[in-house]
Each structure stands twice: as structure tokens, then as C-alpha cells.
Amino acid sequence: NIGMIDVTYKGDTPTFNALLVPASEFKEVSENPAVKEIVDETAARFEEEMSQIVLENNPVELEGDGAYGRTRETNLGNLIADSLYDYGQTGFKDGQTDLAVINGGGIRTSIEKGKVTKGDVLAVLPFGNTIAQIDVTGAQIKDMFEYSLRSEVQKDESGKPIIDETTKMPVLGRNGGFLQVSESVKVSFDPREQGAGNKPEDNQKGKRIWSIKIKNRQTGKFEEIKDDQVYKLATNDFLAAGGDGYTMLGGKREEGPSMDVIFTEFLQ
């Protein structure tokens, strides 16, 4: 279809009428050569920019398919979260990052083996999100992960839970807010327990999490989080502002560069 918008002004006040017209109705319309020249030139510049090599030889397939990234931990999700954590060790003025997360729905595709281009990175992270760091308490972190793990377990046609081949545990249903995490945090949970519910205000009903441990940067050891302790969380600006239902987050935040830039530099 072709989108068309008619705008009529009465003084300074516009009235809009928008409609979709089948492209077949425009078969007899010839291209405007001046516009075509602009489009072709822009497309050529874009293609040149996107073909720039970020990584000469990626040795493994990095899994970003929604069927995985929205239901379980993946290597690509871990890698992106690790890049945010790595940036947060030196990139923010207000302290070092303790843990980093990204919503699975923010990862849009996989990265194949072999050469990785700038276009590949932007296909994975197409939204132009920036990194952001916020202060969160241990209690907020618990609420955040319970909400991340809220989905009901997937079942087969007979009604039996579908089991993950790696973890040997039931697979959660697809959820764009499922959090991929950095190597500095370990979350132990049981998907067989009751989830937190589908609404942010249901967070307290969650009973799936057994343990959340964060790595102490000084000792390198993982320690159980404390409800009243304040931690530095790095994520994208969308989640930091409470997006995807993460209303337990928000508040004052420090922002940094675009995530695709951070991820590119981390890969290199």
C-alpha cells in the first residue's frame, strides 16, 4: 500500500485525512527523476556505511531469535548485557555498574558466523536506544526479576510442560520483557512455581526466585543481594524509564552513548 495524507488548513489549524491506497493504482505513475536521484544517492551511502566490517570472523552463531531471547538466556543476550556492564566500569561519572540487563524484545535478530558488519549490529539493535545507569535497591532487583520471569510455562498439545534440553526445566512463555543479564549477576529460579502475574502491580505475588547473587568487584565473589542495599544497574534508556512494565525502575538516571556503538566497540 501507499500511505497518503491530505492536510487542509483553516488559518493555522490543520485537518488531517489519512488513507492507504493499493500500489496497483499507481502503476501508470512515473518516478520523479529528481526524487529518485536523492533516494539512490542516500541508499548508496547507507549501503556503504552498513557494509563496514565490525568483526572479521565471528566464530559462533549468536542467538537472537525471539523464540529464545524472550523465553530463556541466550549467548547474544548475555554478550549485549556484558557490553553494557563493561562500559559501566569506566563510562559513568556516578560510580561503577554492578549489573546490566536488556529486555529480550529489544534484540531483534541473530548474528551468524563469519564477518559481522555494522548493518548486522543495527539489525540486532535497531531502536537507537542509549545506555542508562540508575540506582536500584536489592528489593527492586527482586521485583524486577520476578516480573521478568512472570510468564506461564509453555505446554505441548497434550498439556504437558515443554522441557528445555539444556536446563531440563520447563520453558517459559514468550515475553518481550524477559531479561538477558550480564556475567556479574546470577539468578536461580524455579519456573514450576507461580509467576508474578501479567500486570506490574502483581509483582509481589511472584515466588519463583530462590536466589539473586551479584559479583563483588573487589573480591570477584558472588554475594546474595541485600534488600536495602543500593546497586548500580545499567540497561537501555527504555527500561530505565520504566518501559515494558518495569514500573519498579525509573527515577534519576545517567545516560551514555547509543547501545549499538557500545556493542560494536565491545565486539571489536
Side-chain angles (χ1 to χ4, degrees):
N1 294 314
I2 294 174
M4 297 185 65
I5 302 176
D6 289 331
V7 185
T8 303
Y9 281 91
K10 291 184 178 179
D12 293 331
T13 304
T15 301
F16 298 92
N17 180 36
L19 67 157
L20 293 176
V21 182
S24 58
E25 295 188 14
F26 290 85
K27 284 183 177 180
E28 305 305 319
V29 178
S30 59
E31 286 185 300
N32 182 302
V35 173
K36 184 178 186 304
E37 183 178 350
I38 294 171
V39 171
D40 289 347
E41 181 183 346
T42 303
R45 288 203 308 269
F46 180 77
E47 181 62 30
E48 181 181 5
E49 179 81 7
M50 292 300 102
S51 63
Q52 292 180 12
I53 303 298
V54 169
L55 196 61
E56 282 289 349
N57 184 27
N58 168 38
V60 297
E61 180 176 354
L62 297 171
E63 183 58 68
D65 184 87
Y68 297 98
R70 299 181 182 214
T71 62
R72 69 199 80 177
E73 196 173 17
T74 72
N75 57 358
L76 180 55
N78 287 163
L79 197 61
I80 295 172
D82 283 348
S83 73
L84 303 185
Y85 177 78
D86 181 74
Y87 175 87
Q89 300 314 298
T90 57
F92 294 111
K93 296 178 181 178
D94 190 23
Q96 291 176 284
T97 296
D98 293 304
L99 72 159
V101 299
I102 179 177
N103 52 317
I107 302 171
R108 306 306 289 187
T109 189
S110 301
I111 295 179
E112 303 299 327
K113 292 182 180 180
K115 287 186 178 181
V116 179
T117 66
K118 189 173 181 179
D120 293 327
V121 172
L122 285 179
V124 170
L125 299 168
F127 300 115
N129 291 111
T130 58
I131 186 175
Q133 180 168 273
I134 57 175
D135 288 348
V136 290
T137 64
Q140 286 175 300
I141 291 173
K142 287 180 180 178
D143 284 348
M144 177 183 76
F145 278 116
E146 282 287 5
Y147 187 63
S148 165
L149 300 167
R150 68 188 183 275
S151 298
E152 295 298 320
V153 168
Q154 293 186 40
K155 297 180 180 179
D156 59 23
E157 294 179 355
S158 66
K160 294 181 179 180
I162 297 174
I163 304 300
D164 184 281
E165 295 180 358
T166 302
T167 65
K168 308 303 180 185
M169 294 293 287
V171 178
L172 295 176
R174 288 180 64 145
N175 161 27
F178 182 90
L179 296 178
Q180 302 287 333
V181 302
S182 63
E183 56 85 21
S184 63
V185 59
K186 292 183 178 181
V187 181
S188 301
F189 71 100
D190 188 343
R192 296 169 298 186
E193 296 293 342
Q194 177 64 40
N198 290 322
K199 297 179 180 179
E201 57 265 32
D202 292 336
N203 285 349
Q204 299 302 327
K205 297 179 182 178
K207 298 179 180 178
R208 283 182 167 163
I209 291 177
W210 288 355
S211 168
I212 302 175
K213 295 181 179 180
I214 294 177
K215 185 167 66 175
N216 184 311
R217 289 190 305 277
Q218 280 69 47
T219 66
K221 296 181 179 180
F222 283 84
E223 301 172 352
E224 196 75 27
I225 64 169
K226 299 177 181 179
D227 284 354
D228 58 352
Q229 185 169 329
V230 176
Y231 301 86
K232 300 288 184 181
L233 170 68
T235 184
N236 56 38
D237 54 341
F238 173 66
L239 288 188
D244 249 348
Y246 284 92
T247 54
M248 74 292 296
L249 303 180
K252 180 183 177 182
R253 64 183 187 267
E254 182 181 350
E255 295 196 12
S258 172
M259 283 179 47
D260 60 271
V261 171
I262 292 172
F263 186 49
T264 295
E265 293 177 351
F266 188 72
L267 287 176
Q268 291 173 333

